[in-house]
Amino acid sequence: MKKQIPFKKNVIHGHSCESMAELPDGAIDLIFAGPPYGSLINYSSYAAGEQHYKAHSTDLPQYITSFQTWFSECFRVLRAGRYCIVNLGTIRENHKTIALPFYAVSWLEELGFSFQFEIVWDKIVGGRHEARNFLAHPFPGRFTPNNRVEYLLFFKKNPRKAFAPRSKFYDANIIPLTDLFKREIANNVWHVHPATKRSSPDVSHPCPFPPEIPERIITYFSFPQETVLDPFMGSGSTAIAAKKLGRYYVGYETEDRFRIDAERLIAKYKRKYMAI
Ligand SMILES: C[S@@+](CC[C@H](N)C(=O)[O-])C[C@H]1O[C@@H](n2cnc3c(N)ncnc32)[C@H](O)[C@@H]1O
């Protein structure tokens, strides 16, 4: 087994993931990424407390360039045979829908990732209320459905390589097959409420993952004591789930305010789940 070059774990780097120079090639066992959705939210404006933080149009060529820069670094740092899971949704602007999740499959395959499958995240409530117009004027051709799904896109680097623990001395525990697994997690539609002010009162981020999503991903796609990378750390939900499940985390976040808030939350949860 090749010896691993050491790198700092359980840290959020306060700069863009377009360069993850802190991470050696192949150092990461699982990537879970929720990249920005085009220009839907201007995170700098939100972090600065500005009221108008929503942008109106996406510069798609610019977005593609950024996307490919972020994910070519992800490809470099991911270990062969392991998963990079990307959360994306469509965005609606200027009378059309920009199908980011559908484009992203080919953008990521161009970088060398191999698409495995998708899970539709049904948010049960919330989302875009686009049927409202039809409800007020129920005529043919006016109906656009409410949109309450996002996509979890599962890619592998070198899919022929075995998914094995790093150390041959590591005793991989079997994951218990719960009723929730058989009824819900085993299928490719997951029903999980979005995080709300009530469910996550400590979180100040505009679009945090509900803990259930990173927890499911980390449980089923990594072994304990492995390292999970979230290149867009936001509120720290992936890091908290990693700590809770006995994994290490590494994150990147460009907005100091989000990074500091995430570090505060992680410290709070660390006291609760003292795993590693
Ligand atoms: C969609 S949110 C991710 C939210 C996160 N999954 C959570 O649970 O809170 C995207 C985050 O990435 C950050 N971001 C945007 N561009 C970035 C970049 N190039 N490198 C690192 N972070 C970035 C934004 O500030 C924002 O917090």
Side-chain angles (χ1 to χ4, degrees):
M1 190 146 308
K2 257 192 4 203
K3 215 164 169 249
Q4 217 191 341
I5 302 171
F7 61 96
K8 198 166 175 207
K9 296 177 185 173
N10 292 347
V11 63
I12 305 175
H13 299 288
H15 64 81
S16 169
C17 63
E18 68 197 37
S19 166
M20 298 194 264
E22 299 83 357
L23 302 180
D25 296 359
I28 295 295
D29 301 295
L30 169 67
I31 299 178
F32 185 33
Y37 285 20
S39 56
L40 189 66
I41 295 181
N42 182 330
Y43 291 101
S44 310
S45 307
Y46 188 95
E50 289 169 21
Q51 273 198 329
H52 299 287
Y53 59 87
K54 289 200 185 248
H56 295 294
S57 59
T58 298
D59 179 343
L60 198 55
Q62 171 59 53
Y63 184 73
I64 296 171
T65 306
S66 303
F67 194 93
Q68 291 188 315
T69 315
W70 304 328
F71 284 98
S72 57
E73 269 296 81
C74 287
F75 190 81
R76 178 185 68 76
V77 302
L78 184 63
R79 191 177 152 205
R82 292 312 188 98
Y83 282 90
C84 172
I85 299 158
V86 183
N87 167 236
L88 277 171
T90 63
I91 51 178
R92 179 103 187 135
E93 55 185 45
N94 301 331
H95 304 281
K96 66 182 169 74
T97 297
I98 304 182
L100 292 181
F102 306 107
Y103 296 147
V105 174
S106 55
W107 297 340
L108 288 162
E109 288 210 317
E110 274 170 34
L111 297 175
F113 284 108
S114 164
F115 181 55
Q116 302 296 307
F117 53 85
E118 79 285 10
I119 288 179
V120 177
W121 170 18
D122 175 355
K123 293 189 280 184
I124 308 170
V125 292
R128 294 199 303 262
H129 298 281
E130 283 162 6
R132 222 179 317 191
N133 188 22
F134 179 76
L135 293 172
H137 308 282
F139 295 103
R142 297 194 78 115
F143 174 54
T144 310
N146 293 330
N147 182 334
R148 58 177 208 191
V149 303
E150 292 186 20
Y151 296 85
L152 299 165
L153 305 170
F154 289 70
F155 298 87
K156 261 188 173 180
K157 173 174 174 177
N158 300 14
R160 287 177 191 280
K161 185 110 189 191
F163 190 108
R166 265 190 200 272
S167 159
K168 64 178 178 205
F169 302 112
Y170 178 69
D171 178 21
N173 295 320
I174 287 175
I175 305 172
L177 294 180
T178 57
D179 280 348
L180 180 69
F181 182 83
K182 292 179 198 156
R183 183 168 27 88
E184 155 87 3
I185 301 174
N187 304 318
N188 79 339
V189 182
W190 286 357
H191 304 84
V192 180
H193 280 89
T196 59
K197 285 258 172 295
R198 186 183 287 200
S199 67
S200 309
D202 299 337
V203 175
S204 60
H205 196 274
C207 48
F209 286 135
E212 184 73 18
I213 296 282
E215 285 178 18
R216 287 184 187 185
I217 285 182
I218 292 169
T219 302
Y220 294 101
F221 298 96
S222 69
F223 290 107
Q225 295 177 38
E226 291 191 339
T227 306
V228 182
L229 165 68
D230 185 337
F232 306 95
M233 186 54 95
S235 62
S237 53
T238 302
I240 291 166
K243 291 255 39 133
K244 183 173 168 184
L245 294 164
R247 275 71 164 174
Y248 299 99
Y249 66 86
V250 177
Y252 288 81
E253 173 54 58
T254 42
E255 298 303 326
D256 283 348
R257 180 182 144 201
F258 298 150
R259 181 179 51 77
I260 291 163
D261 284 356
E263 282 165 348
R264 193 176 320 122
L265 273 186
I266 295 163
K268 183 171 165 192
Y269 280 82
K270 208 155 109 185
R271 287 192 289 277
K272 215 165 151 190
Y273 310 110
M274 285 296 289
I276 52 176

